[in-house]
Amino acid sequence: MRTVEGTSTTTAGGGTATTSGGTATAGGGTATAGGTAPGGGGMSPGAPGGATASAGAPKGDTAAERRRELAAFLRSRRERITPEQVGLARGPRRRTPGLRREEVATLAAVGVTWYTWLEQARDIQVSAQVLDAVARALLLDPHERRHVFGLAHVTDPAPGTRCPVVTDAVRAMLDQLEPLAACVQNSRYDILAHNRVYGLMLCDLEEVAPEDRNCMVLSCVNEEWRDSFSDGEGSLRVMAAKFRSAMADHLDEPAYRALHARLMRNPQFRAHWERQEIIDSTSRTKHFRNRHVGLLTVIHTDLWLGPSHGPRLVTYTPADAETRRRMERLREMSLEREARRAAERGADREADGTEVCAA
C-alpha cells in the first residue's frame, strides 16, 4: 500500500496497460488528388482502400459497418444543403440535389478524391481536424456532429459542443447550489459545466479556453489553478492515480488516449504516472488558497449522474462559517462581473445602432 496525500492507494502490481504518447488518431498524411487536409491532417492512403485504420478504431465487420453508416449519413446531409446556404451560385444546369462532392471538398479544404472515398465507405484514415472541417462544411448541428464523430470513432476537437449529460435541469441545480461551489465532470476530469462560485474558486474559468477545461490539464499548465492547492504537487499525484484507475476501463477510447498523450508531455505528470498508483474518488476535506478571498476549507463530495466512473456532480461545501462567507463573496463578484459585461454588450449594441442610423 502507498499513501497519496493522506489517502491509501494501491500499486497496480502487474502494471496497467497504457498507450504510448501517440494521439487518438493517426491522421498525419496529406490527401491526394485534390489538396492537403487542414493542418496537415487527412489521410495518406497510398492506394484506394489501403490506409490503416485510426488507432483504437473498431476492427472487422464493426468498422466496415461504421464506415457505411458514416458514408450514408454524410451523403444525406450533403444532398439536403442548397448551394445558396453556403454562398455558392446554383447555375442553370445543376441536376445534383444539394451540393456536389467537389463543392463539399472545396468548402472543407480537403481533397476531392479523399472526400469521395469517405462517402464510398473506403477504409481510409480520418483525422479529427479534417472531420471537423467536413462537419462545418455540411452545417451539422451538435447532435449530427456527435453522431458523425461517433461513427468515425474520432475524438471531437470542439469541446464547446453541448454535452447531453448537462441538461437544463442539471444547470439549474448547479445555480441553486450557490454559494456552494459545484461542477459536472466526467471520468476524464473534463469540466462539462460549473456554477459561478466554482468558476472563481480555483482560477477564472471564463478565461480558460474550452479545450483546456480539464482538471489535470489545468494542474499542469495553469499557474493560478496549481497555486490554489495547499499541496499542488501532491494533488497532481492524486489525480494521476485517479486517472490511471479510471482509464483502465477506457484504454481503447480515443478521447482517453489523446488526453493521456497530452498529459505525458508534462514531466511532473509523467513522473507521477510512472509510480503505478491507483485511487478511487472519495469525499474529504480540502484547503484552497483563493487569490480573491483567501483560504477556503471545503468538503469535496462526488454525486454520480450515471454509472460509476461516468459523469458526476462535484460539490464543495463550506466546512466553516468563514469559508461560507468567502464563497458568498465569490458569488457576488461573479454576479458583479456578469452585470458589468451585460452593460458593456448593451453599450456596444447601442453604438452599432447609432452608427447604422448615422450612415
Side-chain angles (χ1 to χ4, degrees), residues 102-265:
E102 56 266 29
E103 290 171 333
V104 174
T106 299
L107 290 168
V110 300
V112 176
T113 299
W114 180 86
Y115 183 75
T116 300
W117 287 351
L118 187 62
E119 281 202 7
Q120 290 175 346
R122 300 284 191 100
D123 187 6
I124 61 175
Q125 184 172 298
V126 183
S127 74
Q129 291 76 16
V130 173
L131 200 59
D132 173 64
V134 170
R136 294 176 186 275
L138 293 175
L139 307 179
L140 300 186
D141 66 28
H143 298 289
E144 293 168 336
R145 182 186 177 95
R146 187 162 55 247
H147 182 63
V148 163
F149 275 85
L151 289 174
H153 212 69
V154 173
T155 303
D156 190 343
T161 52
R162 189 175 179 87
C163 174
V165 172
V166 185
T167 62
D168 290 339
V170 170
R171 292 181 185 278
M173 181 168 58
L174 287 172
D175 291 340
Q176 289 297 315
L177 284 171
E178 294 175 357
L180 275 66
C183 68
V184 176
Q185 296 178 14
N186 58 20
S187 56
R188 293 193 306 272
Y189 294 90
D190 295 321
I191 301 170
L192 307 179
H194 60 86
N195 64 11
R196 298 178 185 89
V197 180
Y198 186 86
L200 285 178
M201 185 173 71
L202 300 171
C203 72
D204 189 347
L205 276 179
E206 297 302 315
E207 300 299 322
V208 175
E211 62 269 21
D212 290 338
R213 291 180 188 177
N214 174 281
C215 295
M216 288 177 294
V217 170
L218 288 166
S219 293
C220 293
V221 305
N222 189 287
E223 184 176 354
E224 182 183 355
W225 178 284
R226 188 168 52 248
D227 289 348
S228 69
F229 288 84
S230 56
D231 180 9
E233 192 67 21
S235 296
L236 184 59
R237 181 179 174 185
V238 168
M239 297 206 70
K242 286 184 176 181
F243 186 51
R244 176 178 287 280
S245 179
M247 193 171 175
D249 295 327
H250 305 277
L251 286 174
D252 62 341
E253 295 183 25
Y256 284 80
R257 297 177 65 178
L259 176 59
H260 176 255
R262 180 180 184 183
L263 293 169
M264 289 296 280
R265 292 195 289 268

Side-chain angles (χ1 to χ4, degrees), residues 244-302:
R244 176 178 287 280
S245 179
M247 193 171 175
D249 295 327
H250 305 277
L251 286 174
D252 62 341
E253 295 183 25
Y256 284 80
R257 297 177 65 178
L259 176 59
H260 176 255
R262 180 180 184 183
L263 293 169
M264 289 296 280
R265 292 195 289 268
N266 179 274
Q268 287 77 26
F269 179 88
R270 185 169 62 250
H272 292 313
W273 180 266
E274 291 171 353
R275 291 174 179 270
Q276 294 283 336
E277 294 170 333
I278 58 173
I279 183 175
D280 282 329
S281 297
T282 55
S283 298
R284 61 186 181 278
T285 300
K286 291 187 174 183
H287 305 278
F288 299 125
R289 291 188 299 264
N290 183 272
R291 68 186 178 100
H292 300 292
V293 297
L295 179 65
L296 299 172
T297 303
V298 296
I299 300 172
H300 172 134
T301 304
D302 289 321

